[in-house]
Amino acid sequence: MFPPQLEHPTMAIIGLTSQGGSVNPICEIQCRWVTRLIKGVCKLPSRQDMEVYVNNYKDELRKRGANTQDRGSLMVDLIQFVDEIADEIGCKPQFGPMFHSNPKLAMKCIFGPWLPYQYRLVGPGKWVGAKEAIDTVWDRLTGAYRPRNVKRKEEPDGFGVIVKTLLVAVIFTAIVYCYII
């Protein structure tokens, strides 16, 4: 995110990752971290620590078979990457204390889908609606697959159509007969 060779961290590269998931949660958490760095609330690790981290990360990628000279160096594990940044910010959810205060929410966070709302439960940038968003995620997901209740027009019955057709035919014949005779 921050090139380690810069003397002052005045440039951040947001969203330049290759992950097996959405880039939006990564961009959001990166932007949250950058704004806290700009405000002076958080500090970057030293240049040496960043270089060690990058080298260790590249070694780990090589062990997995990724080409670190190519786009492989941009590969990240989505949840692990977001967790690391959330830890720096102070907004990573702690499931142990959550089990004591709200076990139902903890179970949804651990065994349900991974949601970026989890990083809005605690810490800076806490959102009051995060718990409700986690509680209702399945309603929103399955809602897209529910059929709509469509009011259908009543189809005309066969007898009414025949009567109307005969009535029009009789009137037409009467009009034609009146003009001919």
Side-chain angles (χ1 to χ4, degrees):
M1 223 172 96
F2 291 94
Q5 64 272 17
L6 292 179
E7 185 178 337
H8 302 287
T10 55
M11 179 177 74
I13 301 169
I14 305 293
L16 186 61
T17 59
S18 176
Q19 68 286 338
S22 176
V23 72
N24 294 345
I26 287 179
C27 291
E28 178 193 2
I29 200 82
Q30 286 179 328
C31 288
R32 287 174 68 186
W33 191 26
V34 169
T35 56
R36 297 192 56 76
L37 288 165
I38 290 170
K39 287 168 64 175
V41 180
C42 292
K43 287 194 172 257
L44 277 177
S46 69
R47 178 180 177 173
Q48 292 80 15
D49 289 345
M50 286 195 281
E51 287 173 351
V52 166
Y53 178 84
V54 168
N55 290 332
N56 290 341
Y57 189 73
K58 284 185 176 183
D59 289 342
E60 182 64 33
L61 288 175
R62 278 189 216 102
K63 287 178 190 173
R64 294 187 203 173
N67 180 2
T68 57
Q69 301 301 318
D70 195 15
R71 271 191 75 179
S73 62
L74 302 176
M75 262 192 335
V76 295
D77 291 326
L78 179 65
I79 298 172
Q80 179 186 350
F81 186 71
V82 174
D83 275 352
E84 287 176 6
I85 295 175
D87 212 16
E88 292 287 332
I89 296 172
C91 65
K92 182 178 175 186
Q94 301 299 321
F95 298 118
M98 191 186 296
F99 262 116
H100 295 293
S101 62
N102 193 339
K104 186 178 176 183
L105 178 64
M107 295 295 278
K108 286 183 178 185
C109 289
I110 292 171
F111 297 110
W114 177 80
L115 301 166
Y117 305 124
Q118 295 172 0
Y119 302 97
R120 293 287 183 175
L121 290 169
V122 295
K126 181 179 175 179
W127 177 43
V128 184
K131 182 189 175 301
E132 182 184 351
I134 293 169
D135 285 340
T136 60
V137 69
W138 286 111
D139 298 333
R140 291 190 309 278
L141 286 173
T142 58
Y145 298 108
R146 286 189 208 126
R148 295 180 297 145
N149 293 331
V150 179
K151 293 182 181 179
R152 297 178 186 243
K153 294 181 183 178
E154 291 186 24
E155 295 184 20
D157 59 344
F159 181 73
V161 172
I162 293 171
V163 170
K164 288 178 186 175
T165 306
L166 286 175
L167 186 61
V168 170
V170 167
I171 292 173
F172 182 72
T173 306
I175 292 172
V176 170
Y177 184 72
C178 287
Y179 284 110
I180 295 177
I181 298 182

